[in-house]
Amino acid sequence: MATSVAVRPKMLLTGFEPFGQCDVNTSWEIVKSIPELPGMLLSKLLLPVAFNASVDILVRKIDELQPDFVVSLGQASSRDTFSLERVAVNIADAKHPDNAGFCPKNLVISSEGERQYISTLPIVDIFHSLQQHDIPVSVSDSAGVYVCNHLMYCILHHISVNGLPVKAGFIHVPGIVKLSPGNATLNMSIMQNALILTLEVLRNGFVN
Ligand code: PCA
């Protein structure tokens, strides 16, 4: 009798370096804190807050690792939920230069790319799972027009034009001021738990 060996999905998690006025970026703090989890293979990657370098580094990692899922996190200081981004738009527009000094103004990201790409993560399933665990979660229809939107757009474009069997998407998390230790409904351990539950939804829905 043939025995079947469960294939563990490869998950690539990314977070960003600090930028602007903040000296920590909660996205990387959360990614960094995730322990090994049963039934999946986790890799973590820290990205610079730079339009071009972040994409180059992540594309190289995707091509090398060939993950099943890419879950990228970024900080949105004013948000107060774990925000599952639904859509990335074909525009880069910065009010402040990125950490490499680049400050695009109303630029089209890709002249041959789609106007927008939709997350290929099961964000509605993730939303329901997190809601059942009383985690402040939302589905967001704008990842902005800065480095995070650019990364999400470029990664979904790369996957689409190369026909890669990879699901990818983006999540914005609150900044450190919102995630203060005294905040019972919004803190680092709740965001860490939100990411673990997200990975479990991906693992449970994984068919090789
Ligand atoms: N947040 C920024 C870029 C890096 C990050 O963590 C954004 O929302 O675009």
Side-chain angles (χ1 to χ4, degrees), residues 157-199:
H157 179 66
H158 175 73
I159 290 169
S160 168
V161 296
N162 292 292
L164 304 180
V166 187
K167 306 263 189 250
F170 200 94
I171 298 167
H172 265 119
V173 291
I176 199 72
V177 174
K178 300 256 177 193
L179 297 180
S180 60
N183 190 337
T185 51
L186 198 61
N187 58 46
M188 284 299 279
S189 71
I190 289 175
M191 291 295 118
Q192 179 190 23
N193 196 21
L195 184 54
I196 293 173
L197 289 164
T198 298
L199 295 170

Side-chain angles (χ1 to χ4, degrees), residues 20 23 32 39 42 48 53 58 81 95 124 128 138 145 147-148 188:
D23 48 17
K32 213 171 53 173
L42 278 187
L58 182 49
T81 58
K95 290 195 182 66
V124 173
H128 288 309
S138 59
V145 281
V147 172
C148 291
M188 284 299 279

Side-chain angles (χ1 to χ4, degrees), residues 16 19 25 27 49 74-75 146-148 172:
F16 278 108
F19 69 111
N25 189 319
S27 67
V49 182
Q75 171 179 311
Y146 194 51
V147 172
C148 291
H172 265 119

Side-chain angles (χ1 to χ4, degrees), residues 74-86:
Q75 171 179 311
S77 301
S78 60
R79 305 246 185 133
D80 49 15
T81 58
F82 190 81
S83 302
L84 306 163
E85 298 295 351
R86 183 168 7 223

